[in-house]
């Protein structure tokens, strides 16, 4: 049982696993809490983690939050009007973040989809080093919502369980979660299916 639980924890719960899946990881946490085989430390950690993993589940509306744009204006997730929204938590200088930006740019008609409001990208910096963010922000696409969490609402509330950067969500027009913390390959595959059918 321990070997099985450890294997699932690594595959489903590790933020760097390409098989990570929080919807499948939640039952594992509940099993750890209920199991007579789990140690007291494992149970305590699972009790702490379970509510965090239940934030912004697939099918639920993503939590709204304000952010400040590069031009100084304030916006929010729910203020974005689009058929689909990619919610992209990123850090300046993050190589994996840059790879995601480059991958998205290669999607067919990507800029046109943004112009038509079929798709939007909210690229949010959730941390505190604004000097680093401002220095790096010039590389971000101008047709994205590039902003930062001015009041650290995301971490302090907490509204989102961001375990590693980058973290990417796909939302529908009502801001319901389609994908949560999705690997890039899965995001591109699902987007291609959704947009290809329109």
């Amino acid at each position: 049982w321990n070997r099985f639980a450890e294997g699932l924890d690594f595959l489903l719960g590790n933020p760097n696993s390409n098989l990570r899946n929080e919807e499948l990881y939640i039952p594992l946490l509940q099993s750890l809490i209920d199991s007579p085989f789990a140690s007291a430390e494992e149970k305590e950690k699972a009790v702490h983690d379970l509510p965090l993993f239940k934030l912004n589940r697939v099918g639920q509306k993503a939590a709204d939050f304000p952010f400040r744009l590069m031009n100084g204006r304030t916006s929010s997730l729910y203020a974005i009007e689009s058929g689909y929204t990619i919610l992209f938590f990123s850090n300046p200088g993050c190589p994996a973040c840059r790879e995601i930006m480059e991958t998205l740019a290669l999607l067919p008609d990507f800029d046109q989809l943004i112009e038509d409001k079929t798709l939007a990208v909210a690229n949010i910096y959730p941390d505190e080093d604004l000097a680093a963010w401002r220095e790096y922000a010039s590389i971000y696409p101008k047709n994205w919502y590039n902003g930062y969490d001015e009041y650290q609402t995301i971490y302090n509330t907490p509204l989102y369980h961001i375990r590693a950067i980058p973290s990417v969500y796909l939302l529908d027009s009502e801001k319901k979660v389609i994908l949560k913390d999705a690997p890039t390959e899965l995001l591109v595959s699902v987007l291609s299916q959704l947009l290809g059918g329109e």
Side-chain angles (χ1 to χ4, degrees), residues 49-74:
D49 287 349
L50 186 57
L52 296 174
F53 279 92
K54 286 184 174 181
L55 294 171
N56 306 297
R57 294 180 71 173
V58 171
Q60 296 179 347
K61 286 192 75 167
D64 194 18
F65 59 90
F67 54 85
R68 191 166 294 279
L69 296 163
M70 284 193 289
N71 61 13
R73 295 180 186 171
T74 299

Side-chain angles (χ1 to χ4, degrees), residues 39-92:
S39 68
E41 292 79 10
E42 288 173 321
K43 287 178 179 287
E44 183 179 358
K45 184 177 185 301
V47 166
H48 173 270
D49 287 349
L50 186 57
L52 296 174
F53 279 92
K54 286 184 174 181
L55 294 171
N56 306 297
R57 294 180 71 173
V58 171
Q60 296 179 347
K61 286 192 75 167
D64 194 18
F65 59 90
F67 54 85
R68 191 166 294 279
L69 296 163
M70 284 193 289
N71 61 13
R73 295 180 186 171
T74 299
S75 189
S76 70
L77 183 62
Y78 284 13
I80 297 172
E81 297 180 4
S82 63
Y84 300 98
T85 301
I86 297 170
L87 175 56
F88 177 32
F89 293 110
S90 68
N91 278 342

Side-chain angles (χ1 to χ4, degrees), residues 99-119:
E99 287 177 17
I100 289 173
M101 288 193 295
E102 292 170 353
T103 300
L104 290 176
L106 294 175
L107 289 173
D109 302 317
F110 186 64
D111 288 334
Q112 188 62 49
L113 290 167
I114 291 176
E115 185 176 340
D116 295 343
K117 296 192 174 183
T118 302
L119 183 65

Side-chain angles (χ1 to χ4, degrees), residues 33 94 105 167:
I33 293 169
C94 159
S167 183

